[in-house]
Amino acid sequence: MQLTRRQFLAAAAALGAAAIWSRPGFAKSKVAWRECRERYPEGVASGDPNPDSVMLWTRYPSTDPRKRWSLQVEVAEDAAFERVVATGKAKVSIESDWTCRVLIGGLKPAREYWYRFTDNEGNGSRIGRTLTAPEEGDTRPVRFAFVSCQNANMGAQNAYRRMIYEDERAAPEDRLGFVLHLGDFIYEIVWYPEDRPQGMYDRHIRDVVRYAHGEKHGDFHVPTTVDDYRSIYRAYLHDPDLQDARARFPFVPIWDNHEFSWLGWQSLQKFDGQTHPAQTRKVAANQAWFEFHPARVKTTGGSLEWFAPPRVTDTPIDHFDDAGLGQEANNLAALASLTGYRSLRWGRHVELVITDQRSYRSEEPMDRPEAKVFSSKDFPDFIPQEVQEILDAGRSYNHGKPPESIRYGDQQVANFRRETPAQTILGATQKSWFLQQLKASNATWKVWGNTTATLDMRADPQNLPKGLTKPWPGAGYAGFGGGDHSSAYVERAEIYDFVAREGITGFATVAGDRHSFWAGLAAKALPPNAFEPVGVAFVVGSISAPGMVEAIEHGFPKDHPLRPLFLADRQGAAKPEPAVNMLLRHGVRSCLEYAHSGDLAKARAASNPDNAPHLSFVDMGGHGYAVVHASSGMLETEFVCLPRPIERSDREDGGALVYRVRHRVPLWEKGESPRLEQRMLEGDAPFSV
């Protein structure tokens, strides 16, 4: 429903938003604007568009902390600002690190607009481009990109250049409507070049930022204050490709873990196996995220313009409720300071439901020190699936009769989770909201924007030939340690059972975090249990953060008997081949056959069909982005993979493609199972299919 000017301004006032309403017609700009990008060093951005409004952003730093500046904001239907439809003032001050967030209303749906900021002396920002969402009944197809995991400390953001290059050359109806950023916009863990003069993997360390108040753990540094967190955002936004992308597309962002802390959950941090209360840092992280992203998120103070940080202290959390939420007052206040989960609608076909996987989750069971016993150098990365299931379920396992101990080879290990509730990632309140959003939506496609993946990651070491290595200490399949809904079996089953019970069709998940590309079917269980898909799921490779393939190229022992499961060493090849993709897709026999014969056809013929019936594609070394195309009868997701982004490409298109692969799912009816179709459009990924 389109709001009137009065309704919009009233709503904006209630939200505490700086608001500008568009005029009925248009007029030529009267502002003496001249581009002066150095006055706006982090560029411009727009975010969270709806059919009649969008949020705009810039940063205008000052050397005088006592002064509040007022910027002129203009929105036009053309890049020359001959058809200006909205003008107004927006304030910046040191309290918000000189950032500016302004809500523009009264716009037309599904339209392209241009915007800019100008100071009192005529010094102007770069010109930004944005788009509004279509109205709810609009039947036109929707196209959007989703991305995650950009690490400017160790890589280049070439994927954004490719995204912009292709979008500028696309027909208007084939251009992106927005970019969904699924977290790890920054990496709060920073290495200084002197910390790792040898670099990391294939990368050299860039001197991106130095924290004024940070602390050091091992050889990396972490932020401790809001100014530290702000400094890493500023540093990242000096990257030209990221800045260009934010100037061209409206972004819809949500945080993952690195916006706060690598192993953080709720308001807790973990370093060297020790958990520390960090409520002050959680609030600082939330404040910096809010200040640098133009998103319609909720704050404690209820403002879309200013963040009012609650006063908290770093206090131990001693009591957690049955949903795993720490009941300590400072923890609750820190988490409530910023609420990111929300739902956005694009026309008839897409309801985007975004959730926060870090703020409300319970402790990851496999991160507990008691779980280390289930890891073995003889079986790198492998954890028995039954161990993951028992620890995930806690006291609910086996219909409330969990075992007192867990078998691991010849050992019986005490079940340290038998008295605690099942793991949750969403938390009780958010999960209830999420399920109701799915049920209430009448969109063709209900797209779950989940920062972490849902597709099972497993292998079948029970099929290893005798004598190759020590006996596998598990009962059957192996997982890879958890951390997302692939091993939060109880909660994932609850969600998928709800989808099936309510007859929800068009259910799709888009995710990041894994630094790898995945496409598959969403099912709560795999063989030998019943395999009953209720939707489709996709995971995007990282923009620039290193992935598993790069790590094992440098770290997996050359003489380890299981190396062929992860890397295939071919004579004369510059690098080993990523056998781990085949392991996850087809199982151990395929990997061993390929190591023996070098014949891909023979290797695929040795596939274990029960290992991963849910997967169509997996690439544990892929970098790039993904594009979703949603219409009345189908949903397509295209993976665009670029070479390892060690250095910034000097090419206009961001560099040559490794591959472009498309996955298509026709809309299914209630009671039917979804069906994925795959087509390689460019390049090749022989170990991924």
Side-chain angles (χ1 to χ4, degrees), residues 282-293:
K282 178 65 172 178
V283 171
N286 283 353
Q287 180 169 353
W289 190 95
F290 176 87
E291 290 171 346
F292 282 84
H293 291 285

Side-chain angles (χ1 to χ4, degrees), residues 176-389:
L176 300 176
F178 62 95
V179 174
L180 172 63
H181 200 296
L182 289 165
D184 292 347
F185 188 94
I186 60 164
Y187 277 70
E188 94 297 356
I189 289 176
V190 172
W191 284 272
Y192 300 163
E194 63 269 22
D195 295 326
R196 288 206 172 204
Q198 76 278 18
M200 181 178 289
Y201 309 143
D202 285 350
R203 324 292 183 103
H204 69 86
I205 304 299
R206 293 163 169 79
D207 202 351
V208 173
V209 67
R210 292 182 180 251
Y211 294 130
H213 309 283
E215 65 185 22
K216 193 172 184 180
H217 294 271
D219 63 354
F220 61 82
H221 305 256
V222 298
T224 60
T225 67
V226 66
D227 289 332
D228 285 345
Y229 279 103
R230 287 165 169 170
S231 69
I232 191 71
Y233 281 99
R234 294 195 298 264
Y236 271 53
L237 288 174
H238 293 165
D239 182 281
D241 297 314
L242 173 56
Q243 191 176 127
D244 287 352
R246 295 229 304 178
R248 178 167 178 82
F249 306 108
F251 271 53
V252 176
I254 185 66
W255 54 83
D256 195 40
N257 56 329
H258 283 287
E259 284 86 349
F260 165 47
S261 187
W262 171 34
L263 297 177
W265 56 285
Q266 296 185 34
S267 64
L268 296 162
Q269 290 185 319
K270 185 175 287 188
F271 298 110
D272 302 318
Q274 299 297 314
T275 300
H276 309 275
Q279 289 91 334
T280 57
R281 297 184 191 184
K282 178 65 172 178
V283 171
N286 283 353
Q287 180 169 353
W289 190 95
F290 176 87
E291 290 171 346
F292 282 84
H293 291 285
R296 301 180 201 236
V297 290
K298 297 176 183 177
T299 65
T300 302
S303 174
L304 280 176
E305 185 178 7
W306 306 101
F307 187 93
R311 293 184 178 181
V312 296
T313 59
D314 295 331
T315 306
I317 305 173
D318 298 321
H319 174 64
F320 296 84
D321 67 14
D322 280 351
L325 184 64
Q327 295 301 295
E328 193 279 322
N330 293 277
N331 181 56
L332 296 175
L335 301 183
S337 68
L338 191 64
T339 302
Y341 61 86
R342 61 201 189 276
S343 180
L344 296 95
R345 184 66 179 259
W346 271 268
R348 177 70 185 88
H349 299 310
V350 171
E351 179 99 28
L352 177 60
V353 187
I354 303 168
T355 56
D356 171 1
Q357 273 60 246
R358 304 294 179 175
S359 297
Y360 315 107
R361 68 156 302 138
S362 55
E363 185 174 14
E364 161 57 52
M366 296 307 303
D367 280 348
R368 294 270 297 269
E370 302 96 320
K372 289 183 179 180
V373 68
F374 298 113
S375 299
S376 166
K377 291 182 179 179
D378 296 320
F379 295 91
D381 295 321
F382 289 172
I383 306 293
Q385 182 175 323
E386 71 275 9
V387 170
Q388 293 186 167
E389 291 172 345

Side-chain angles (χ1 to χ4, degrees), residues 26-29 76-84:
F26 58 83
K28 183 177 180 179
S29 174
E77 293 179 342
D78 66 316
F81 288 77
E82 299 282 338
R83 298 167 61 90
V84 175

Side-chain angles (χ1 to χ4, degrees), residues 8-29:
F8 171 78
L9 294 177
L15 291 170
I20 297 172
W21 183 259
S22 68
R23 58 170 63 98
F26 58 83
K28 183 177 180 179
S29 174

Side-chain angles (χ1 to χ4, degrees), residues 383-386 458-462 472 475-479 527-528 608 610-611:
I383 306 293
Q385 182 175 323
E386 71 275 9
R458 76 172 189 174
D460 57 346
Q462 73 272 23
W472 166 234
Y477 288 96
N608 173 7
D610 287 342
N611 183 66

